[in-house]
Coordinates of all heavy atoms in Angstrom, one line a residue:
I75 N -17.9 9.7 -0.6 CA -17.9 11.1 -0.1 C -17.3 11.2 1.3 O -16.8 12.3 1.7 CB -19.4 11.6 -0.1 CG1 -19.9 11.8 -1.6 CG2 -19.5 13.0 0.6 CD1 -21.3 12.2 -1.7
D76 N -17.4 10.2 2.1 CA -16.9 10.2 3.5 C -15.4 9.8 3.5 O -14.9 9.7 4.6 CB -17.7 9.3 4.4 CG -19.1 9.8 4.5 OD1 -19.4 11.0 4.5 OD2 -20.1 8.9 4.6
V77 N -14.8 9.5 2.4 CA -13.4 9.0 2.4 C -12.5 10.1 1.9 O -12.5 10.5 0.7 CB -13.2 7.7 1.5 CG1 -11.8 7.2 1.6 CG2 -14.3 6.7 1.9
P78 N -11.6 10.7 2.8 CA -10.7 11.8 2.3 C -9.7 11.3 1.3 O -9.3 10.1 1.4 CB -10.1 12.2 3.6 CG -10.2 11.0 4.5 CD -11.4 10.3 4.2
A79 N -9.4 12.1 0.4 CA -8.4 11.8 -0.6 C -7.0 11.8 -0.1 O -6.7 12.5 0.9 CB -8.5 12.8 -1.8
H80 N -6.1 11.0 -0.7 CA -4.7 11.0 -0.3 C -3.9 11.9 -1.1 O -2.6 11.8 -1.1 CB -4.2 9.5 -0.3 CG -4.9 8.6 0.6 ND1 -4.8 7.2 0.5 CD2 -5.7 8.9 1.7 CE1 -5.5 6.7 1.4 NE2 -6.1 7.6 2.2
R81 N -4.5 12.7 -1.9 CA -3.8 13.6 -2.8 C -4.3 15.0 -2.4 O -5.3 15.2 -1.9 CB -4.0 13.3 -4.3 CG -5.4 13.4 -4.7 CD -5.6 13.1 -6.2 NE -4.9 14.0 -7.0 CZ -4.8 13.9 -8.4 NH1 -5.4 12.8 -9.0 NH2 -4.2 14.7 -9.1
P82 N -3.5 16.1 -2.8 CA -3.9 17.4 -2.4 C -5.1 17.9 -3.2 O -5.4 17.3 -4.2 CB -2.6 18.2 -2.8 CG -2.0 17.4 -3.9 CD -2.2 16.0 -3.5
P83 N -5.8 18.9 -2.7 CA -5.5 19.7 -1.4 C -5.8 19.0 -0.2 O -6.9 18.3 -0.1 CB -6.3 21.0 -1.6 CG -7.5 20.5 -2.4 CD -6.9 19.5 -3.4
F84 N -4.9 19.0 0.8 CA -5.1 18.3 2.1 C -5.9 19.2 3.1 O -5.4 19.6 4.1 CB -3.8 17.9 2.7 CG -3.0 17.0 1.7 CD1 -1.8 17.4 1.2 CD2 -3.4 15.7 1.4 CE1 -1.1 16.6 0.3 CE2 -2.7 14.9 0.6 CZ -1.5 15.3 0.0
D85 N -7.2 19.4 2.8 CA -8.0 20.3 3.6 C -9.2 19.7 4.2 O -10.1 20.3 4.7 CB -8.3 21.6 2.8 CG -9.0 21.3 1.5 OD1 -9.4 20.1 1.3 OD2 -9.3 22.2 0.7
N86 N -9.3 18.3 4.0 CA -10.4 17.5 4.5 C -11.7 17.8 3.8 O -12.8 17.4 4.2 CB -10.6 17.7 6.0 CG -9.5 17.1 6.8 OD1 -8.9 16.0 6.4 ND2 -9.1 17.7 7.9
R87 N -11.6 18.6 2.7 CA -12.8 18.9 1.9 C -12.8 18.1 0.6 O -13.8 18.1 -0.1 CB -12.9 20.4 1.6 CG -13.2 21.2 2.8 CD -13.3 22.7 2.4 NE -12.0 23.2 1.9 CZ -11.8 24.4 1.4 NH1 -12.9 25.3 1.4 NH2 -10.7 24.8 1.0
N88 N -11.7 17.5 0.3 CA -11.6 16.7 -1.0 C -11.8 15.2 -0.7 O -11.3 14.7 0.3 CB -10.2 16.9 -1.6 CG -10.1 16.4 -3.0 OD1 -11.1 16.2 -3.7 ND2 -8.8 16.2 -3.4
H89 N -12.5 14.5 -1.5 CA -12.7 13.1 -1.3 C -12.5 12.3 -2.5 O -12.4 12.9 -3.6 CB -14.1 12.8 -0.8 CG -15.2 13.2 -1.7 ND1 -15.6 12.4 -2.8 CD2 -16.0 14.4 -1.8 CE1 -16.6 13.1 -3.5 NE2 -16.8 14.2 -2.9
I90 N -12.3 11.0 -2.4 CA -12.0 10.2 -3.6 C -13.4 9.9 -4.3 O -14.4 10.2 -3.8 CB -11.4 8.9 -3.2 CG1 -12.4 7.9 -2.4 CG2 -10.1 9.1 -2.4 CD1 -11.8 6.6 -2.2
S91 N -13.2 9.4 -5.5 CA -14.4 9.1 -6.3 C -14.9 7.7 -6.0 O -14.2 6.9 -5.4 CB -14.0 9.2 -7.8 OG -13.1 8.1 -8.2

Side-chain angles (χ1 to χ4, degrees):
I75 292 174
D76 297 326
V77 184
H80 297 163
R81 62 182 295 178
F84 301 111
D85 54 9
N86 293 325
R87 292 180 296 174
N88 192 21
H89 62 82
I90 69 173
S91 67

